[in-house]
Amino acid sequence: MLKLREVVAAYGPIVALHGVSLEVPEGSIVTVLGANGAGKSTTLRAISGLLRPREGSIEFEGQRIDRLSAEQIVSLGMSHIPEGRQLFSELTVLENLRLGAYSRFAGMASGIREYRQRRRDFEAALKQVLEYFPILAERKNQVAGTLSGGEQQMLAMGRGLMARPRLLLLDEPSMGLAPMVTREIFEIIHTINRTQGVTILLVEQNANLALEIAHYGYVLETGRIALADTSENLRKSEAVQRSYLGQ
Amino acid sequence: MDEFLQQVVTGLATGSVYGLLALAIVLIYRTTNVLNFAQGEMAMFTTFVAWTVLQRGEYWLMFPLVLLMAAAMGGFIELVIIRRVEGAPVLNIIIVTLGLFAILNNVATWRWGGIPKGFPAPPEIQVTGVKFFGEGALDIGPTVVSYHDLTILVFAVAIMAALYLFFQYTPLGLAMRATAQNPIASRLMGIRVGRMLAVGWALSATVGAVAGLLIAPLILLQPPMMMGVLLYAFAAAVLGGLDSPVGAIVGGLIIGVSENLVGTYTPKEWLGPDMKLTVTLLIIVVVLLIRPTGIFGRRALRRV
């Protein structure tokens, strides 16, 4: 579904990715592990179009996307839930969710029928998101900035799902959350993948949890892929245990 | 008492014009983080265009036409000029808007000359026997209000209401608010941020154009006509809180009223009409000392 080949990406003169290649098969959960500054977030930014790769190619469902803008890429069926959530903190929960669906409804409806169809689509997507995250229904009219950390992460994910993506890029969903909340979020990620068949590329510091739900994993070290294997094998690997699983 | 009310109403009317121009400034500041020093000159320029159109056409035909032209001009300025300096240091952008100020001012002087021209107030419309706009004054019991002052107030309220509905209830308005808050997240939602900025400038230029059309009958049409108004508008925007549209209008009204009252009621020997600008700005300084983000401003102005 997603293929990166020798992707080089940089912030000005600082090269963050030195030729990263990875693959995400359809229907799977793939995780990218690595220390701070290894280039995990940069990888996601390059995929979603926030950062234009300097070299290499990125293919999504057989189509080259490395020269497209972030605005175009989201409408192809890929949602990026960025590091630090990046909510619209002064807008309400419902407004955030509405914006999540923006890419599907950009531009004027061409008639009353299309308008109604869009409404139905939106309501259906909203209903589904609120089923995953019932707390968001209760907080519907609350300003996003006043939510707790866990609720904010749920809103960020809900907003991403409103675009009905086939591929979800998730950047550190556990950041700053209590272990209980993190576990809940990971269960939901697992459910989204299983029941809806949404493919997930998950960047995570919490290697234990990530390898528990992922099918496949990559280890990123200073902008290069150091290891790539099934989660099972990665969990057994001595190098991973030493550096990332704290054993 | 009657005179006091009279002064308040007149102050509210001129204050609405300051408020409208302040609103135009805030609309751009919120989305682009640019303080547009050319805002007044843009309004002056569109008012001159309106004057030219009026040589041949009806007022109420000219009105929507000039608003459309103003929107086009605002969008054009963003796309062609401001976009080139996007992300540049704040000072660069300020210099660019000052350059725009000079260009518009010079072109207007070159094209239309420096001699002040009279500009008509919106002419009368009769709707089922009720008179709107036009000459004369309306007796509302304790005081008398000129129709033009009423017109200004009505326009200010209507524009505020329209903008509120637009930002609160349309997808485009929501996308623009999102862009103002978090451009990166907006891009991830599929919002074309650049387009939103151009729309913001277009909206702002339109609101400014209305301010120009409404103030011109009171102060005569000439290239430097908006300088004083712009100063008040900036003061109003800062007073209200630079990122708050409601604050802009409220700030404008406060300044309009206090300017009028200071001009009328303070004794000539030590303050009087000559000092009304000073006193008004002094009030603003005091307010900002107490509330640095302005009356309605929520965020600290960290991006400037």
Side-chain angles (χ1 to χ4, degrees):
Chain A
M1 175 173 245
L2 183 75
K3 254 187 211 142
L4 276 71
R5 272 197 215 99
E6 295 296 318
V7 170
V8 176
Y11 300 97
I14 301 152
V15 180
L17 299 181
H18 305 267
V20 167
S21 301
L22 61 82
E23 226 171 290
V24 182
E26 186 158 3
S28 64
I29 300 182
V30 173
T31 183
V32 177
L33 308 173
N36 266 334
K40 303 187 302 285
S41 293
T42 308
T43 307
L44 294 193
R45 290 168 59 85
I47 296 169
S48 71
L50 283 181
L51 182 68
R52 186 158 287 188
R54 204 170 266 185
E55 284 168 43
S57 73
I58 303 175
E59 263 178 39
F60 177 58
E61 296 181 327
Q63 184 189 351
R64 281 283 291 263
I65 57 166
D66 44 274
R67 287 290 171 269
L68 299 183
S69 66
E71 301 88 300
Q72 291 168 313
I73 289 173
V74 59
S75 58
L76 296 177
M78 178 196 301
S79 277
H80 179 186
I81 296 159
E83 195 179 9
R85 339 231 202 270
Q86 301 279 352
L87 294 174
F88 300 105
S89 52
E90 287 168 40
L91 302 184
T92 65
V93 168
L94 190 60
E95 284 172 332
N96 271 277
L97 293 175
R98 265 187 210 294
L99 285 162
Y102 184 89
S103 63
R104 299 176 56 221
F105 306 118
M108 290 275 231
S110 63
I112 202 85
R113 179 167 296 173
E114 196 190 333
Y115 176 77
R116 288 219 181 101
Q117 182 61 43
R118 285 176 173 200
R119 259 207 111 95
R120 273 198 298 274
D121 283 1
F122 174 81
E123 295 297 338
L126 185 64
K127 192 166 160 247
Q128 187 156 46
V129 164
L130 295 182
E131 266 166 29
Y132 285 128
F133 308 106
I135 188 77
L136 296 183
E138 283 171 44
R139 302 261 187 273
K140 212 164 67 177
N141 297 315
Q142 208 167 310
V143 171
T146 63
L147 300 181
S148 73
E151 289 163 357
Q152 291 199 10
Q153 181 58 42
M154 291 179 190
L155 178 54
M157 287 169 61
R159 188 181 64 176
L161 288 173
M162 286 300 289
R164 291 258 163 121
R166 292 185 295 286
L167 173 65
L168 204 56
L169 310 178
L170 260 170
D171 199 341
E172 301 250 7
S174 75
M175 194 161 75
L177 300 184
M180 286 270 288
V181 185
T182 305
R183 189 153 280 285
E184 190 185 344
I185 297 242
F186 271 73
E187 265 159 31
I188 297 170
I189 295 172
H190 203 187
T191 315
I192 291 169
N193 171 257
R194 253 190 342 224
T195 60
Q196 283 201 67
V198 177
T199 310
I200 292 171
L201 178 56
L202 170 69
V203 156
E204 198 32 80
Q205 294 245 20
N206 189 333
N208 261 319
L209 269 176
L211 288 175
E212 225 171 83
I213 63 167
H215 304 107
Y216 209 80
Y218 290 85
V219 175
L220 209 52
E221 267 168 22
T222 56
R224 289 184 179 82
I225 299 285
L227 270 174
D229 212 330
T230 61
S231 314
E232 217 168 308
N233 289 341
L234 282 179
R235 257 188 307 212
K236 286 187 221 141
S237 134
E238 250 176 60
V240 172
Q241 284 188 357
R242 208 174 39 240
S243 315
Y244 303 105
L245 295 177
Q247 284 163 12
Chain B
M1 189 63 196
D2 290 1
E3 165 155 29
F4 177 77
L5 263 179
Q6 182 74 57
Q7 292 301 333
V8 169
V9 173
T10 312
L12 286 177
T14 42
S16 305
V17 175
Y18 305 153
L20 283 179
L21 200 65
L23 182 59
I25 290 166
V26 165
L27 283 178
I28 285 182
Y29 181 78
R30 266 162 59 100
T31 42
T32 339
N33 281 312
V34 173
L35 275 179
N36 181 15
F37 284 90
Q39 199 79 56
E41 302 313 278
M42 285 162 65
M44 174 275 293
F45 199 85
T46 50
T47 313
F48 265 110
V49 173
W51 182 83
T52 306
V53 176
L54 276 181
Q55 304 308 303
R56 283 144 198 259
E58 267 292 302
Y59 191 94
W60 291 116
L61 197 73
M62 168 281 284
F63 202 83
L65 215 65
V66 165
L67 294 198
L68 278 179
M69 201 229 53
M73 180 179 82
F76 178 84
I77 289 176
E78 201 283 328
L79 285 171
V80 176
I81 301 169
I82 302 298
R83 190 150 303 184
R84 316 280 155 230
V85 289
E86 211 178 277
V90 177
L91 202 56
N92 296 21
I93 304 177
I94 287 178
I95 297 295
V96 167
T97 68
L98 283 174
L100 255 173
F101 176 102
I103 292 170
L104 288 170
N105 196 295
N106 287 349
V107 171
T109 313
W110 163 65
R111 181 67 191 77
W112 288 288
I115 301 159
K117 298 170 170 47
F119 192 85
E124 188 175 323
I125 300 180
Q126 295 269 1
V127 182
T128 59
V130 184
K131 182 184 157 172
F132 288 95
F133 312 119
E135 302 287 315
L138 186 67
D139 198 334
I140 51 166
T143 186
V144 176
V145 189
S146 85
Y147 265 100
H148 189 60
D149 283 355
L150 270 182
T151 306
I152 294 176
L153 281 170
V154 167
F155 267 106
V157 170
I159 287 175
M160 274 302 282
L163 283 178
Y164 175 81
L165 293 176
F166 169 75
F167 280 117
Q168 214 60 33
Y169 294 108
T170 70
L172 182 59
L174 181 59
M176 288 180 69
R177 283 193 290 151
T179 306
Q181 266 188 40
N182 192 334
I184 290 180
S186 300
R187 291 183 61 199
L188 288 178
M189 302 297 111
I191 296 169
R192 296 181 60 172
V193 170
R195 193 176 283 180
M196 296 303 131
L197 300 186
V199 174
W201 273 75
L203 260 184
S204 157
T206 312
V207 173
V210 175
L213 290 173
L214 292 177
I215 196 78
L218 299 176
I219 59 173
L220 294 179
L221 178 63
Q222 52 181 324
M225 67 183 253
M226 293 305 273
M227 297 213 186
V229 182
L230 182 71
L231 189 60
Y232 281 121
F234 265 120
V238 173
L239 181 62
L242 256 178
D243 55 3
S244 163
V246 180
I249 293 285
V250 173
L253 294 177
I254 292 175
I255 289 175
V257 171
S258 58
E259 173 204 32
N260 240 3
L261 294 183
V262 169
T264 315
Y265 288 107
T266 52
K268 255 199 191 67
E269 300 82 63
W270 61 282
L271 283 173
D274 294 340
M275 291 293 280
K276 64 182 187 184
L277 182 59
T278 312
V279 173
T280 308
L281 291 179
L282 207 66
I283 296 172
I284 294 165
V285 170
V286 171
V287 171
L288 290 181
L289 281 176
I290 299 164
R291 265 192 78 93
T293 55
I295 303 173
F296 291 92
R298 273 178 301 165
R299 282 177 283 178
L301 304 175
R302 55 189 133 77
R303 279 179 286 197
V304 168

